[in-house]
């Protein structure tokens, strides 16, 4: 069979595209996903859970060999020691990131999308994308000009009366600091604190796969979903993509189509292009890959939101409990303006986590997770390690490559420290410390019985005498920097932030859309790859710049908008 559309990647974008393109019965659509299926009635309980901290660290749903550099890699000094590699929890399951992420349903700022248009993505300004954000959602709380009521993804907010004591205390600390309460973070984009908007209904996650690939959609005779299917190589006749070779449950198979769409995310989509000979000429020639289309922007200017954390010990009476109305651990957020030169309003974001992990110690540790909402670090890259399709690419995020991001995180940490020591939070927490997502933290976060029993023992000690708790935190939890050190010494604070800053799994911008004449653009405003035919990219990699948001809803919006463009093009052709 020759398909009309072959979609490689069944994540957020792929799920939307499969639904919308197959809604026209004349279209034969094939969706390929490397991970497992999540069919209705058989969604793993870890994915459905409104608390995401279990599934996020479950290796069954990851590309387990993917590791990345987050710190700056010096290319001017090839003899410099490379920074450490970190495991990167890239989803490998139908629904992609939306099946394992924190279910944060924020859109970003109107200024983000006006900047997209200014950078060459004509037709992607705020007024042009808002209808597609509304098309995505079914808002369970608000019915106004900002929100949709008929979308595939329900969104809601946990009411304040259901917040745990720690979340309530954090909100009170924000209020004391002068921030106003916003009932809707996706309404008017102003500074303030708010209940986090989540892609969730009846205390269950609604991933893109759950929302867009229900039984009715799966029952369409013109839609084929092939899971446990990893794309090996794009197929070309001349400069036209005519399909893909994939490995289906261990067996190699060839699929042919009129159009192929890469929806593999900002790390794997550029890797597929590079292996096909589409990318920077120097990189391709170094690996002996014939150049099919010289596109210097492929894999370049990779972005994420730089993030740090201030953590603390939660007193027993303020912790999450099994009897609480929700298992959610992030209930309240803060958006504020740093006032740093040139930054737009709302350029900083803080999420309050009233639990740091699934295990017994995680229940005792709260975190204020801060990230640079509007980052200026745009020097990351994805490049091939080899021509072997089974080998993960080299990924360098180069976070904090723009000093403005470092300076804002330093100022943010001091602001959060003042809030942490204010009366509301001091009443429910103690022993604040600068936290880092180290290998030690990651290892103990893997869901298994060993970690379950180990953390129970540690938790018992942490609930013991205060002096013992302080010693344990400084000896086994803190990674080289104490709270007093970073508060009294700016050099120590800078060193901590440079070492501890990670991204927040918002990889984007590595195949940017833009004007034809822009040498660094990879696709046009409908996702078509420059210089070849029959091939598009539709995922976070096409963002001209990462928005002030968790990227899942911007990806859903992007897929909805490009799906409309594809269907409009096919109508014209007919």
């Amino acid at each position: 069979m020759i398909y009309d559309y072959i979609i490689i990647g069944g994540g957020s974008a792929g799920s939307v595209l499969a639904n919308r393109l197959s809604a026209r019965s004349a279209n034969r659509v094939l969706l390929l996903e490397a991970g497992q299926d999540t069919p209705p009635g058989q969604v793993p309980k870890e994915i459905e859970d409104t608390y995401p901290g279990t599934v996020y660290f479950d290796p069954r749903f990851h590309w387990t060999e993917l590791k990345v550099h987050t710190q700056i890699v010096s290319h001017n000094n090839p003899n410099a020691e490379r920074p450490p590699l970190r495991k990167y929890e890239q989803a490998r399951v139908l629904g992609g990131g939306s099946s394992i992420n924190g279910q944060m349903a924020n859109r970003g700022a109107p200024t983000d999308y006006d900047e997209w248009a200014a950078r060459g993505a004509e037709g992607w300004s705020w007024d042009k994308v808002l209808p597609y954000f509304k098309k995505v959602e079914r808002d369970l709380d608000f019915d106004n000009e900002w929100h949709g009521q008929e979308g595939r993804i329900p969104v809601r907010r946990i009411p304040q009366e259901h917040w745990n004591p720690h979340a309530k205390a954090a909100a009170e600390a924000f209020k004391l600091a002068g921030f106003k309460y916003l009932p809707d973070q996706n309404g008017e984009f102003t500074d303030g604190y708010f209940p986090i908007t989540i892609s969730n209904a009846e205390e269950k996650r609604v991933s893109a796969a759950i929302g867009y690939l229900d039984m009715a959609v799966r029952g369409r005779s013109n839609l084929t979903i092939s899971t446990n299917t990893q794309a090996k190589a794009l197929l070309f006749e001349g400069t036209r993509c005519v399909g893909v070779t994939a490995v289906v449950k261990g067996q190699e198979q060839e699929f042919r189509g009129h159009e192929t769409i890469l929806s593999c995310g900002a790390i794997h989509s550029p890797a597929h292009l590079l292996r096909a000979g589409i990318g920077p000429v120097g990189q391709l020639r170094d690996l002996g890959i014939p150049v099919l289309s010289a596109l210097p922007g492929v894999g370049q200017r990779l972005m994420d939101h730089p993030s740090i954390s201030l953590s603390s010990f939660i007193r027993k009476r303020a912790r999450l409990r099994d009897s609480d109305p929700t298992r959610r651990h992030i209930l309240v957020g803060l958006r504020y303006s740093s006032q740093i030169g040139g930054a737009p309003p709302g350029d900083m974001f803080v999420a309050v986590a009233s639990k740091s992990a699934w295990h017994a110690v995680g229940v005792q540790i709260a975190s204020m997770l801060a990230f640079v909402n509007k980052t200026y670090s745009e020097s990351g890259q994805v490049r091939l390690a080899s021509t072997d399709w089974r080998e993960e690419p080299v990924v360098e995020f180069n976070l904090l490559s723009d000093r403005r991001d470092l300076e804002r995180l330093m100022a943010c940490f001091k602001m959060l420290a003042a809030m942490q020591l204010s009366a509301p939070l001091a009443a429910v927490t103690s022993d604040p410390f600068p936290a880092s997502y180290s290998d030690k933290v990651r290892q103990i976060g893997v869901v298994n019985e060993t970690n379950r029993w180990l953390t129970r023992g540690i938790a018992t000690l942490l609930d013991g005498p205060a002096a013992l708790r302080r010693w344990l935190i400084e000896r086994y939890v803190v990674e080289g920097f104490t709270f007093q050190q970073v508060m009294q010494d700016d050099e120590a604070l800078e060193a901590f932030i440079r070492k501890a800053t990670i991204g927040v799994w918002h990889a984007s911008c590595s195949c940017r859309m833009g004007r034809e004449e822009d040498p660094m653009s990879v696709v046009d405003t409908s996702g078509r790859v420059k210089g070849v035919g029959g091939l598009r990219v539709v995922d976070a990699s096409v963002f001209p710049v990462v928005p002030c948001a968790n990227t899942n809803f911007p990806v859903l919006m992007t897929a909805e908008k490009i799906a409309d463009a594809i269907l409009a093009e096919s109508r014209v052709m007919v």
Side-chain angles (χ1 to χ4, degrees), residues 72-390:
I72 298 171
V73 177
S74 174
H75 294 288
N76 295 325
N77 182 6
N79 296 320
E81 184 179 351
R82 289 177 68 82
L85 283 167
R86 299 176 184 266
K87 186 179 184 300
Y88 193 82
E89 286 80 9
Q90 178 79 20
R92 179 179 169 137
V93 60
L94 199 69
S98 71
S99 290
I100 71 168
N101 66 14
Q103 302 165 49
M104 310 276 267
N106 53 337
R107 299 168 171 176
T111 51
D112 293 328
Y113 304 100
D114 290 341
E115 183 179 359
W116 283 20
R119 288 191 178 215
E122 185 178 347
W124 288 81
S125 57
W126 173 246
D127 62 321
K128 296 295 194 299
V129 302
L130 178 57
Y132 290 98
F133 276 121
K134 293 167 69 173
K135 186 177 183 180
V136 167
E137 73 179 14
R138 176 168 56 90
D139 198 300
L140 304 179
D141 301 322
F142 294 98
D143 184 3
N144 55 35
E145 71 273 19
W146 302 104
H147 296 293
Q149 298 299 311
E150 300 178 0
R152 288 270 172 172
I153 305 297
V155 299
R156 68 186 184 105
R157 302 135 191 93
I158 306 294
Q160 291 184 74
E161 59 266 26
H162 291 167
W163 292 4
N164 60 72
H166 173 259
K168 289 178 179 177
E172 188 63 27
F174 294 155
K175 182 179 178 180
L176 277 179
F179 293 103
K180 69 177 181 179
Y181 176 73
L182 306 174
D184 177 20
Q185 74 175 108
N186 286 332
E188 185 180 0
F189 197 89
T190 57
D191 287 6
Y193 66 98
F194 41 78
I196 294 288
T197 310
I198 54 176
S199 49
N200 182 302
E202 299 174 352
E203 285 298 296
K204 290 184 178 180
R205 176 195 301 272
V206 181
S207 68
I210 293 168
Y212 281 87
L213 300 175
D214 59 19
M215 289 302 293
V217 174
R218 289 167 178 263
R220 295 172 183 169
S221 60
N222 62 327
L223 173 63
T224 302
I225 300 175
S226 180
T227 52
N228 297 305
T229 301
Q230 186 172 349
K232 177 181 177 182
L234 298 173
L235 299 174
F236 281 84
E237 292 180 357
T239 58
R240 183 168 189 83
C241 185
V242 295
V244 61
T245 300
V247 177
V248 186
K249 296 172 181 165
Q251 299 297 313
E252 190 169 306
Q253 193 170 339
E254 187 176 288
F255 300 98
R256 294 266 173 164
H258 297 304
E259 188 161 357
T260 301
I261 305 172
L262 285 173
S263 295
C264 304
I267 292 175
H268 289 137
S269 282
H272 280 296
L273 294 179
L274 292 167
R275 283 193 288 267
I278 303 168
V281 171
Q283 286 187 30
L284 298 176
R285 287 180 175 163
D286 286 347
L287 289 169
I289 299 173
V291 178
L292 185 66
S293 180
L295 291 181
V298 173
Q300 300 302 298
R301 299 181 180 174
L302 175 72
M303 296 185 75
D304 196 345
H305 293 114
S307 173
I308 50 101
S309 176
L310 171 59
S311 297
S312 59
F313 180 79
I314 313 174
R315 303 183 196 277
K316 283 185 178 181
R317 64 181 177 81
R319 296 174 191 165
L320 281 168
R321 301 179 299 270
D322 291 340
S323 59
D324 287 346
T326 179
R327 281 173 48 80
R328 291 290 303 175
H329 69 311
I330 298 179
L331 303 177
V332 59
L334 169 70
R335 181 170 61 220
Y336 74 93
S337 303
S338 71
Q339 308 294 337
I340 197 169
D347 61 312
M348 298 295 291
F349 188 92
V350 179
V352 178
S354 300
K355 174 179 173 179
S356 64
W358 60 270
H359 48 65
V361 173
V363 175
Q364 298 173 308
I365 304 297
S367 295
M368 288 196 282
L369 310 168
F371 65 77
V372 180
N373 227 359
K374 172 56 182 173
T375 175
Y376 290 109
S377 298
E378 298 188 38
S379 63
Q381 69 167 332
V382 177
R383 56 185 176 83
L384 296 183
S386 78
T387 57
D388 188 338
W389 65 277
R390 292 161 295 195

